[in-house]
Amino acid sequence: MHSSIFFFFFFFFFFTFLSIYSINACVFTLKMHHRFSEPMKRWSENTNKFTAADFPAKGSLEYYSQLADHDRIFRGRRLSDSGDEHLTFSDGNSSFRISSLGFLHYTTVSLGTPGQKFMVALDTGSDLFWVPCDCSRCASIDKTAYNSDFKLSIYSPTRSSTNQKIACNHTMCTSHHECIGSESLDTCPYSVSYVSSQTSTSGILMEDLLHLETEDSDGEVVDAFVTFGCGQVQSGSFLDIAAPNGLFGLGLEKISVPSILSREGYTPDSFSMCFGHDGTGRISFGDKGRLDQEVTPFNVDSSHPTYNITVTQLRVGSSLIDSSFTALFDSGTSFTYLTDPHYTRLTKRFHAQTKDSRHPADQRIPFEYCYDMSPDANTSLIPSMSLTMKGEGPFFIYDPVIIISANHEVVYCLAVIRSAELNIIGQNFMTGYRIVFDREELVLGWKKSDCYDIEDSIATSSKPLNPNNVPPAVAAGLQGHHERTRNIGVTSAGSLFYNKVFCYWTRMWLSFLILLL
């Protein structure tokens, strides 16, 4: 009782003092740590006498499995305000950016009866869900080939009692011309090529049960028949670093899983993906987002619908650039690609406001604008960046640069690549947001989120850059280069002056009180 009174009066006078002091106000944040983060490990070792051996290795299957189990326990606390039923995968709604598998966002899916598990990459830039199956040329499932502890699988149709082949006359079969003259009409062949050079998958279409659960405290099991590709032959990136265990297409075509779930009445025709700064994420089918999210309409081409949006303006630091273009929102692309003249306008303004020395051209680095990091990381100042979408919605870019090391030098690069024909907003620009792909209303929604249960405060015009949170160099083919863990300050015109001593001691008091509580 006495302690409760103490804390009540302390916080009363503390926040009263804050309101008086607001002329030199400072921003307070409480860091969130997942259960296996280094601060939590140190705390557990000191208080509970755990050792490093008691924690699963970061990146291991057990590591992600235990985090997914934790998600299921707290699944009732949803990110959305909507009352519509949401579905996610039976192993949880978490996704993870995995370093050893191309730095794409992956999640675990269970397919067939009994369920066979696959670690699939999530891709809004394509439509087909496929897994390696009856392989004649597939990626190795030897986990050592990817420096990974993940258990990779190959789908076996004979092991699933609910497997069905898609026949040539099935509505999902679009390769009727390939069936003509075929020895077998009871199978529908497919072949999909991707933007990445010489990357493709081919095989036959099948149906089987995809195991899902409702995103509420009950976690009701939902088994839905979906069409997927039995990927017999893979090529290009699918044979080494990208999606070796399958790809989960999330596009607008009728064959995608979101289309099937909506058409069969399981969920509203919408889904969301969240991209956290720490590499974790979320995916939720049926999620239409929040009432206070920003939105912009899709530019839908009926012959080949994609998540294409319109950007009307670019802002770099204090410079506003009138540059209108359309772009694909693609979670399966690590970086952002712009065509000219938009690429040149953006990069020239970025370069003009960057004070560090430009790094000499390096053919191994695909980024054109790279700079030598100052020995004192806090003196390297990065211009802030944002997009204005059609409808006037602002889209702040939290991770515009990537930090790499080359020849024992530390450099940072604007992670935007010149494109010959297609504008793509890649995963690096989506970091820090929950992105809603509302296919019913044909709008893209976004709201700042850390992908846990707490919405962050409204974005300011600039923020400190955390190199750990940008997509690493290997995703763009920077083999032999390495990320460095250093912080760079990000600045823009008109930044505020904060009383650092006041903020420091206030944070110290908050930390002390939280420990007591």
Side-chain angles (χ1 to χ4, degrees):
M1 180 66 181
H2 293 294
S3 61
S4 299
I5 295 173
F6 166 75
F7 285 121
F8 171 80
F9 281 106
F10 179 88
F11 280 111
F12 175 79
F13 287 114
F14 173 74
F15 286 110
T16 301
F17 178 63
L18 279 184
S19 64
I20 297 172
Y21 199 81
S22 60
I23 190 170
N24 286 318
C26 56
V27 177
F28 299 98
T29 60
L30 296 178
K31 280 190 175 181
M32 292 185 66
H33 300 287
H34 66 71
R35 63 192 304 200
F36 300 139
S37 65
E38 291 305 315
M40 287 300 294
K41 284 184 181 179
R42 290 194 294 269
W43 179 82
S44 295
E45 289 169 2
N46 292 333
T47 60
N48 299 322
K49 306 306 178 185
F50 289 146
T51 65
D54 295 313
F55 295 92
K58 185 175 183 179
S60 67
L61 182 60
E62 184 184 4
Y63 175 89
Y64 293 118
S65 177
Q66 290 193 27
L67 284 178
D69 287 341
H70 183 264
D71 290 336
R72 284 194 290 271
I73 294 172
F74 292 98
R75 188 170 291 148
R77 298 182 295 176
R78 292 185 286 181
L79 286 170
S80 174
D81 290 338
S82 170
D84 292 321
E85 182 172 81
H86 298 181
L87 292 179
T88 195
F89 301 111
S90 58
D91 278 40
N93 66 0
S94 296
S95 64
F96 305 94
R97 192 176 63 220
I98 300 176
S99 59
S100 57
L101 299 179
F103 290 96
L104 299 176
H105 267 254
Y106 289 79
T107 194
T108 303
V109 301
S110 181
L111 183 67
T113 307
Q116 303 174 47
K117 293 190 178 183
F118 301 87
M119 188 73 72
V120 295
L122 299 170
D123 182 20
T124 61
S126 66
D127 302 285
L128 182 66
F129 165 36
W130 65 265
V131 294
C133 161
D134 287 347
C135 292
S136 59
R137 188 173 72 214
C138 297
S140 169
I141 61 171
D142 179 3
K143 64 184 181 182
T144 60
Y146 311 99
N147 188 29
S148 169
D149 290 322
F150 297 115
K151 183 180 180 181
L152 305 183
S153 306
I154 294 179
Y155 178 82
S156 174
T158 59
R159 283 183 50 201
S160 176
S161 62
T162 48
N163 169 268
Q164 300 177 25
K165 292 181 179 179
I166 295 290
C168 276
N169 61 356
H170 195 283
T171 56
M172 286 293 188
C173 185
T174 58
S175 303
H176 301 293
H177 62 284
E178 296 184 28
C179 294
I180 300 175
S182 173
E183 296 180 359
S184 175
L185 296 178
D186 63 347
T187 59
C188 174
Y190 82 87
S191 180
V192 180
S193 296
Y194 297 81
V195 174
S196 300
S197 178
Q198 298 180 339
T199 296
S200 66
T201 176
S202 61
I204 61 174
L205 294 182
M206 292 185 169
E207 279 186 336
D208 211 336
L209 288 177
L210 178 66
H211 302 290
L212 306 165
E213 284 188 2
T214 57
E215 280 195 294
D216 53 31
S217 57
D218 296 330
E220 179 185 349
V221 174
V222 176
D223 293 333
F225 268 107
V226 299
T227 302
F228 70 98
C230 169
Q232 299 166 335
V233 179
Q234 273 66 254
S235 67
S237 297
F238 293 149
L239 294 177
D240 42 49
I241 63 169
N245 209 210
L247 191 73
F248 202 91
L250 293 159
L252 282 161
E253 294 283 8
K254 66 179 182 179
I255 201 170
S256 74
V257 171
S259 296
I260 296 172
L261 294 179
S262 171
R263 189 165 59 246
E264 297 301 321
Y266 290 106
T267 65
D269 196 7
S270 184
F271 70 93
S272 68
M273 293 183 69
C274 197
F275 302 89
H277 289 286
D278 59 359
T280 62
R282 306 283 183 213
I283 181 167
S284 178
F285 299 106
D287 182 13
K288 295 177 70 70
R290 299 171 60 101
L291 295 176
D292 58 348
Q293 68 186 4
E294 300 286 350
V295 296
T296 191
F298 289 130
N299 306 310
V300 179
D301 178 357
S302 58
S303 63
H304 181 55
T306 60
Y307 301 119
N308 185 284
I309 52 86
T310 299
V311 176
T312 59
Q313 288 180 324
L314 306 170
R315 181 182 290 276
V316 179
S318 57
S319 300
L320 187 63
I321 309 166
D322 288 321
S323 195
S324 181
F325 58 90
T326 61
L328 173 68
F329 253 74
D330 184 9
S331 67
T333 300
S334 295
F335 301 104
T336 294
Y337 292 74
L338 294 179
T339 59
D340 271 325
H342 319 292
Y343 172 83
T344 298
R345 292 170 181 168
L346 177 73
T347 53
K348 293 296 185 184
R349 296 294 178 90
F350 182 87
H351 177 67
Q353 298 183 51
T354 303
K355 305 304 180 183
D356 291 313
S357 300
R358 190 164 177 184
H359 188 74
D362 187 336
Q363 292 184 347
R364 298 169 299 172
I365 301 177
F367 308 115
E368 185 177 359
Y369 287 85
C370 298
Y371 303 87
D372 295 318
M373 185 185 294
S374 169
D376 180 3
N378 291 325
T379 64
S380 289
L381 302 177
I382 309 300
S384 62
M385 187 178 296
S386 65
L387 311 176
T388 301
M389 303 297 190
K390 184 177 181 179
E392 305 302 318
F395 192 96
F396 185 82
I397 308 303
Y398 295 100
D399 285 335
V401 304
I402 184 172
I403 300 173
I404 58 178
S405 61
N407 300 324
H408 306 292
E409 297 177 301
V410 180
V411 302
Y412 63 91
C413 304
L414 176 62
V416 178
I417 300 173
R418 190 195 303 268
S419 173
E421 56 187 26
L422 184 64
N423 297 307
I424 301 175
I425 304 300
Q427 200 178 103
N428 64 323
F429 274 27
M430 300 183 206
T431 300
Y433 287 104
R434 181 182 56 181
I435 309 293
V436 176
F437 298 84
D438 191 333
R439 302 138 54 88
E440 184 176 16
E441 301 295 333
L442 294 179
V443 296
L444 180 85
W446 67 94
K447 184 171 178 61
K448 185 179 179 184
S449 176
D450 60 10
C451 302
Y452 294 93
D453 294 314
I454 300 174
E455 294 290 349
D456 291 335
S457 58
I458 297 174
T460 57
S461 61
S462 62
K463 70 180 286 292
L465 175 73
N466 185 344
N468 286 323
N469 300 333
V470 296
V474 70
L478 302 184
Q479 290 84 355
H481 293 69
H482 304 281
E483 281 191 300
R484 290 294 296 268
T485 306
R486 298 182 66 179
N487 289 322
I488 299 180
V490 182
T491 187
S492 64
S495 60
L496 299 176
F497 174 78
Y498 297 112
N499 186 320
K500 295 182 179 179
V501 174
F502 173 75
C503 293
Y504 172 80
W505 284 108
T506 303
R507 290 190 182 102
M508 289 290 290
W509 272 104
L510 282 174
S511 299
F512 172 71
L513 285 171
I514 289 170
L515 287 175
L516 290 179
L517 289 169

